[in-house]
Amino acid sequence: METAQLTLFKTFTRATERNDLHTSASAMLREFIENLDLASIRLMLSDCTTIANEEPEEFFGQLASTFLYMQMANNDFLESAEGLCNRCTKGADAFVFRGTNIPFHFGLLFEVKNDKVTDMIECSILWKQFPELDPGLQHSLKFQTLQMPVQDYDAENPPF
């Protein structure tokens, strides 16, 4: 009997391609993030007992908030670029994800064992490898509330 997880891997798991960053489980997870597809990410990581040292539901809540933040900035798709982790998680697949409309961005590391993504960790310094990214537009997954600029308006003369 084939599990729902295994159906995700049909086109990505040929033995000759499993270690290729472009056709592996990492590539699939990268594509799900680019498409803001939380349901597929949940399914792919459903065997993980913790993600980024947190309960999976806590992490997925943070990711859902980040996706909403991106969508509110009219980013319906995220571009990604491969990076390199030489610090805390050496050897992990590293990616920076950036909005296509407003370039808010965040970095994630994927730990892979036995051709399967076993953990996903936010990396707050990965963006430094990409000088074109504005550090002021970096978004943290733990950043739960949207901060919008607030102006004081005259109550008798509202702006609308």
Side-chain angles (χ1 to χ4, degrees):
M1 185 168 115
E2 201 172 83
T3 66
Q5 266 187 331
L6 288 178
T7 61
L8 289 175
F9 294 104
K10 284 184 180 176
T11 60
F12 291 92
T13 57
R14 286 184 276 167
T16 57
E17 297 177 333
R18 287 185 182 151
N19 293 322
D20 182 353
L21 189 60
H22 303 284
T23 57
S24 64
S26 284
M28 199 159 67
L29 184 56
R30 177 184 185 178
E31 184 176 328
F32 293 152
I33 293 170
E34 288 174 343
N35 289 297
L36 308 169
D37 185 354
L38 188 62
S40 294
I41 295 167
R42 278 179 175 274
L43 180 59
M44 189 168 186
L45 300 176
S46 62
D47 291 341
C48 296
T49 55
T50 62
I51 303 172
N53 295 322
E54 297 183 22
E55 291 293 319
E57 287 309 310
E58 178 69 25
F59 180 82
F60 290 133
Q62 293 170 4
L63 196 57
S65 293
T66 296
F67 286 176
L68 178 62
Y69 188 87
M70 291 294 185
Q71 290 170 327
M72 290 177 68
N74 203 24
N75 293 314
D76 294 326
F77 180 80
L78 304 177
E79 298 173 324
S80 66
E82 296 172 30
L84 181 63
C85 179
N86 283 324
R87 291 191 127 178
C88 57
T89 315
K90 289 184 180 183
D93 296 339
F95 301 99
V96 168
F97 297 91
R98 177 181 73 174
T100 54
N101 183 40
I102 297 177
F104 292 118
H105 54 87
F106 58 95
L108 293 172
L109 306 175
F110 303 163
E111 286 188 15
V112 180
K113 292 180 184 159
N114 299 323
D115 306 319
K116 185 176 178 181
V117 177
T118 57
D119 202 358
M120 187 164 45
I121 304 161
E122 181 177 19
C123 180
S124 60
I125 61 170
L126 189 60
W127 66 271
K128 291 182 178 183
Q129 295 178 21
F130 302 93
E132 68 276 10
L133 295 177
D134 181 350
L137 295 176
Q138 183 179 11
H139 178 78
S140 171
L141 269 60
K142 295 186 187 289
F143 184 66
Q144 292 288 330
T145 58
L146 299 177
Q147 291 187 349
M148 305 303 263
V150 177
Q151 297 175 345
D152 291 326
Y153 293 109
D154 182 356
E156 293 179 17
N157 298 310
F160 45 88

